[in-house]
Amino acid sequence: MVPFQEESAAARGTSEAPPPYPKPMETAPLPGPGPSDGPEAAAEKVEVELPGPVGSEPPQPPEGGWGWLVMLAAMWCNGSVFGIQNACGVLFVSMLKTFGSDDQGKMVFKTAWVGSLSMGMIFFCCPIVSVFTDIFGCRKTAVVGAAVGFIGLMSSSFVSSIEPLYLTYGIIFACGCSFAYQPSLVILGHYFKKRLGLVNGIVTAGSSVFTISLPFLLRALIDSVGLFDTLRVLCVFMFVLFLAGFTYRPLASSAKDKESGTKGDNRFSLFSRRKYSPPKKIFNFAIFKVTAYAVWAVGIPLALFGYFVPYVHLMKHVNERFKEENNKEVVLMCIGITSGVGRLLFGRIADYVPGVKKIYLQVLSFFFIGLMSMMIPLCSVFGALIAVCLIMGLFDGCFISIMAPIAFELVGAQDVSQAIGFLLGFMSIPMTVGPPIAGLLRDKLGSYDVAFYLAGLPPLIGGAVLCFIPWIHSKKQGGTNKTTGGEKVEKMLENQNSVLSSSSGLLKKESDSVI
């Protein structure tokens, strides 16, 4: 249908000079390419697929085509960003050796802040990134973010002490990763709807693949060429991410287009000549009026206060509890492998779960994650701990893969960018606070047992909160449908009355002329 619209728009062209405004007795023209718009404006409207009039069906995603390349680009983004972050433990050991001093205890504390600050900044910047995504689009935001991340990582390879890494790696590199990562979640909903769960599962599985393989690559590189050259090799990942961002071709209108109505051809140009005017609302706090989303934005961070504790402290616990075991790293590998399987499996399952009922999959994932966290101290056999890690990784993949599809269901495609941005920003708080609290309990009590028991409670509580979301959403939708139905009936009656009045007037005129 799109080529037909383009041909009709080009055929009409500017052959007839249209009136500057509709005639009083004419009905207002439908939005879309028409005689009053030039060929460039018509192409822009077809490319961006601006929504039609109220009550019409929204434009359907293509469910493939160019979207498969977008999916691969987003997969590389997830893998490179979180693969590097999750492998920071290998870089941490190398940083200690490179910048170590006699005061080793203080040096460990100072070095740990590099990776902690980096991970926290990725999620903390997401609300700001969502604004840039709404104003400039996914493609420009992702490309600029990858470039900034490249600069930050390259700068980190030239430092001579640990302190500059707080800026170059912890802030500049992390902010660039945040600007590259968040658009990769939004753009998928522009190309997929029926397969969105499966596509998100494949995309988020990228981080599992990189998390499993990248530590081995980093260890080999550090042993052969050292820390600084390893960081320069990692810049290749960011350069590929920079190129991948160009594939995020826009298909749906952004908030800026809705508010300002600007026109211009951006199909083949990254930096077009548009005059960018910010939307009326920089931060769209109106999405919190959607009660179901507001509950979701509270429940998810509440569950995450204990969610990441096992990922941070599990290896230390294994070293203390199973000193005789040789391959202790296998527990992390088990989590990474089954997490990738869970993202693919539950991403596909989510496609068959209607609407907001997808939230029940997240409830299920939080239940098992909380339960497995509490079972970690109870494992006296190493094989039992591996089984617990396998189950934990499986449901970790479930939670992550359906986050974006649920956001689309709750707020719609037009507001999903800031909805995801706000949620990721809220997630940065428990991600930063939870693990240090667990470490403090370990220092005070001498073991991780209480820390893991308490870590299992927040996922259970957060999952219980999420159970109310489908009921809230259905109740709200029911009230909206009733209101919309009443308005449609009233409008139909008004239109019928106006048609009858016009017909009677015409009949009267004809009878007068006959007389």
Side-chain angles (χ1 to χ4, degrees), residues 86 204-205 207-212 311 329-343 389-390 392-394 396-397:
N86 294 338
T204 54
S207 63
S208 296
V209 174
F210 278 64
T211 299
I212 295 169
Y311 296 88
E329 296 80 6
V330 72
V331 294
L332 295 179
M333 183 179 296
C334 289
I335 293 177
I337 292 173
T338 54
S339 178
V341 173
R343 296 174 194 209
C389 292
L390 288 172
M392 181 179 292
L394 184 69
D396 165 76

Side-chain angles (χ1 to χ4, degrees), residues 126-385:
C126 281
I128 301 173
V129 178
S130 65
V131 175
F132 280 83
T133 303
D134 280 347
I135 296 176
F136 299 106
C138 294
R139 177 165 54 182
K140 298 176 179 63
T141 304
V143 168
V144 173
V148 172
F150 178 89
I151 294 172
L153 197 57
M154 182 63 73
S155 302
S156 300
S157 66
F158 293 99
V159 300
S160 57
S161 62
I162 196 68
E163 286 79 8
L165 286 176
Y166 297 154
L167 174 64
T168 58
Y169 191 94
I171 296 180
I172 298 177
F173 170 63
C175 288
C177 289
S178 182
F179 273 73
Y181 165 67
Q182 204 262 357
S184 72
L185 298 179
V186 177
I187 193 64
L188 295 176
H190 294 176
Y191 283 88
F192 298 93
K193 183 178 181 182
K194 296 179 181 179
R195 300 172 178 169
L196 185 58
L198 173 63
V199 170
N200 272 278
I202 296 174
V203 167
T204 54
S207 63
S208 296
V209 174
F210 278 64
T211 299
I212 295 169
S213 58
L214 201 56
F216 298 100
L217 174 63
L218 292 179
R219 191 174 294 110
L221 287 172
I222 289 173
D223 292 341
S224 58
V225 299
L227 173 64
F228 297 128
D229 286 334
T230 299
L231 293 175
R232 290 164 192 150
V233 171
L234 289 178
C235 289
V236 176
F237 288 78
M238 300 308 296
F239 180 73
V240 176
L241 181 57
F242 171 80
L243 298 178
F246 284 91
T247 65
Y248 297 169
R249 194 171 67 190
L251 286 180
S253 60
S254 64
K256 177 186 70 60
D257 295 321
K258 291 190 297 179
E259 297 287 348
S260 60
T262 54
K263 302 181 179 69
D265 189 4
N266 67 342
R267 182 164 185 160
F268 301 105
S269 174
L270 175 65
F271 298 102
S272 58
R273 296 181 179 179
R274 289 187 185 182
K275 293 181 179 180
Y276 290 103
S277 58
K280 295 178 181 179
K281 294 181 180 180
I282 298 297
F283 290 101
N284 185 16
F285 293 109
I287 60 176
F288 290 99
K289 294 181 181 179
V290 180
T291 309
Y293 171 77
V295 175
W296 192 54
V298 171
I300 294 293
L302 181 62
L304 293 183
F305 272 101
Y307 180 84
F308 285 101
V309 170
Y311 296 88
V312 175
H313 297 284
L314 182 59
M315 282 307 302
K316 180 68 174 175
H317 170 74
V318 171
N319 290 330
E320 294 176 355
R321 182 68 62 89
F322 304 98
K323 297 179 181 180
E324 70 281 358
E325 294 292 335
N326 295 324
N327 299 321
K328 301 181 180 67
E329 296 80 6
V330 72
V331 294
L332 295 179
M333 183 179 296
C334 289
I335 293 177
I337 292 173
T338 54
S339 178
V341 173
R343 296 174 194 209
L344 295 172
L345 175 63
F346 286 99
R348 185 55 177 166
I349 292 174
D351 290 334
Y352 296 99
V353 179
V356 185
K357 290 185 178 180
K358 295 179 179 68
I359 203 75
Y360 289 129
L361 293 177
Q362 280 193 329
V363 174
L364 185 68
S365 68
F366 282 137
F367 173 78
F368 277 97
I369 288 170
L371 186 62
M372 293 302 106
S373 297
M374 291 181 174
M375 291 185 66
I376 289 175
L378 301 177
C379 295
S380 57
V381 180
F382 191 66
L385 182 62

Side-chain angles (χ1 to χ4, degrees), residues 440-507:
L440 183 62
L441 290 172
R442 160 65 181 81
D443 292 338
K444 295 292 183 181
L445 303 176
S447 71
Y448 278 109
D449 291 357
V450 175
F452 283 122
Y453 289 140
L454 294 178
L457 291 178
L460 297 178
I461 297 173
V465 172
L466 297 183
C467 288
F468 294 97
I469 293 178
W471 175 76
I472 294 172
H473 184 75
S474 61
K475 186 177 179 181
K476 190 73 174 178
Q477 288 294 104
T480 304
N481 291 338
K482 288 181 180 179
T483 305
T484 306
E487 291 177 353
K488 286 184 177 180
V489 170
E490 291 179 0
K491 200 167 185 180
M492 288 175 61
L493 292 174
E494 290 178 0
N495 291 335
Q496 289 178 356
N497 291 333
S498 62
V499 170
L500 290 173
S501 300
S502 302
S503 301
S504 61
L506 289 172
L507 289 173

Side-chain angles (χ1 to χ4, degrees), residues 91-112 114 159-163 165 227-228:
L91 298 176
F92 173 79
V93 175
S94 180
M95 290 176 187
L96 282 176
K97 293 180 180 179
T98 304
F99 305 109
S101 61
D102 296 333
D103 189 4
Q104 193 66 18
K106 185 178 179 180
M107 195 64 200
V108 169
F109 174 77
K110 291 171 65 177
T111 307
V114 176
V159 300
S160 57
S161 62
I162 196 68
E163 286 79 8
L165 286 176
L227 173 64
F228 297 128

